[in-house]
């Protein structure tokens, strides 16, 4: 199977699982307090996606080669090539930009289907997993927008509000020797992780 077909299947599977889990979470909420907890779970998932993007970006920038089994060609190589051609990501279509991330999200989403929705905490755990997966899926899209010369007005507003990765913030990573500010969902955790 060509990798593009696998990416398309990953996108369809991601969207299907997110819809199923989202519906399941919402139908198990009981009142205003649960909605407040859900809001906190969604924010936590967003922050966890930023953390995961930073750790994975650091890992693939620093370790392995394009020949590393399983991850080399589809993950290590694109990260390394991105430093040579930072604008290359802006020439990718939706599938190429987001397909691999959709595939990666299946790792937490599939087990989340098995979590019994028997308490507020299990419902919220599934919500955190789904939110993390959703933000992880969007990470490469946010990264792509940070490299665009003229993002749409909505994207520019999201960047100014620091709700998605902002170009000037990401430029810090693209300064040789490319060894800091790896988080590419929002970049919120970059200053903290850089100090660590």
């Amino acid at each position: 199977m060509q990798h593009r077909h696998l990416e398309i299947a990953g996108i369809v599977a991601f969207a299907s699982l997110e819809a199923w889990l989202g519906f399941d979470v919402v139908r198990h909420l009981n009142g205003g307090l649960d909605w407040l907890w859900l809001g906190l779970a969604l924010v936590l998932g967003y922050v966890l996606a930023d953390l995961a993007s930073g750790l994975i970006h650091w890992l693939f920038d620093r370790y392995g080669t394009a020949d590393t089994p399983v991850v080399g060609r589809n993950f290590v190589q694109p990260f390394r090539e991105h430093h040579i051609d930072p604008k290359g990501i802006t020439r990718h279509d939706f599938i190429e930009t987001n397909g691999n991330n959709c595939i990666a999200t299946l790792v937490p989403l599939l087990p989340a289907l098995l979590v019994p929705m028997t308490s507020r905490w299990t419902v919220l755990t599934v919500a955190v997993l789904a939110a993390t997966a959703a933000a992880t899926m969007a990470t490469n899209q946010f990264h792509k927008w940070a490299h665009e010369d003229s993002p749409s007005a909505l994207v520019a507003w999201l960047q100014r509000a620091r709700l998605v990765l902002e170009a000037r913030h990401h430029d810090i990573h693209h300064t040789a020797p490319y060894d800091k500010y790896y988080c590419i969902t929002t970049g919120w955790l970059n200053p903290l992780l850089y100090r660590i």
Side-chain angles (χ1 to χ4, degrees), residues 30-47:
N30 294 313
L33 186 57
D34 279 0
W35 285 96
L36 175 64
W37 280 111
L38 177 62
L40 293 172
L42 297 177
V43 171
L44 177 59
Y46 205 52
V47 171

Side-chain angles (χ1 to χ4, degrees), residues 116-127:
M117 301 285 204
T118 55
S119 74
R120 171 185 288 155
W121 305 114
T122 56
V123 171
L124 293 174
T125 299
V126 170

Side-chain angles (χ1 to χ4, degrees), residues 7-23 94 98 101-103 105-106 109 133-134 137:
E7 289 175 319
I8 292 168
I11 291 168
V12 170
F14 161 81
S16 301
L17 291 172
E18 280 287 332
W20 179 272
L21 290 170
F23 174 76
F94 181 85
N98 300 297
N101 276 14
C102 285
I103 294 166
T105 66
L106 300 180
L109 288 178
M137 177 276 170

Side-chain angles (χ1 to χ4, degrees), residues 27-94:
R27 76 182 183 94
H28 282 91
L29 297 179
N30 294 313
L33 186 57
D34 279 0
W35 285 96
L36 175 64
W37 280 111
L38 177 62
L40 293 172
L42 297 177
V43 171
L44 177 59
Y46 205 52
V47 171
L48 289 174
D50 196 43
L51 175 63
S53 76
L55 294 174
I56 290 166
H57 189 175
W58 169 79
L59 183 68
F60 291 149
D61 265 8
R62 296 289 163 220
Y63 300 101
T65 69
D67 298 323
T68 302
V70 181
V71 297
R73 199 182 97 220
N74 296 308
F75 294 96
V76 175
Q77 184 175 347
F79 275 102
R80 305 282 172 84
E81 287 175 354
H82 180 64
H83 289 209
I84 297 165
D85 182 14
K87 293 287 186 189
I89 194 172
T90 65
R91 296 186 294 274
H92 297 172
D93 66 6
F94 181 85

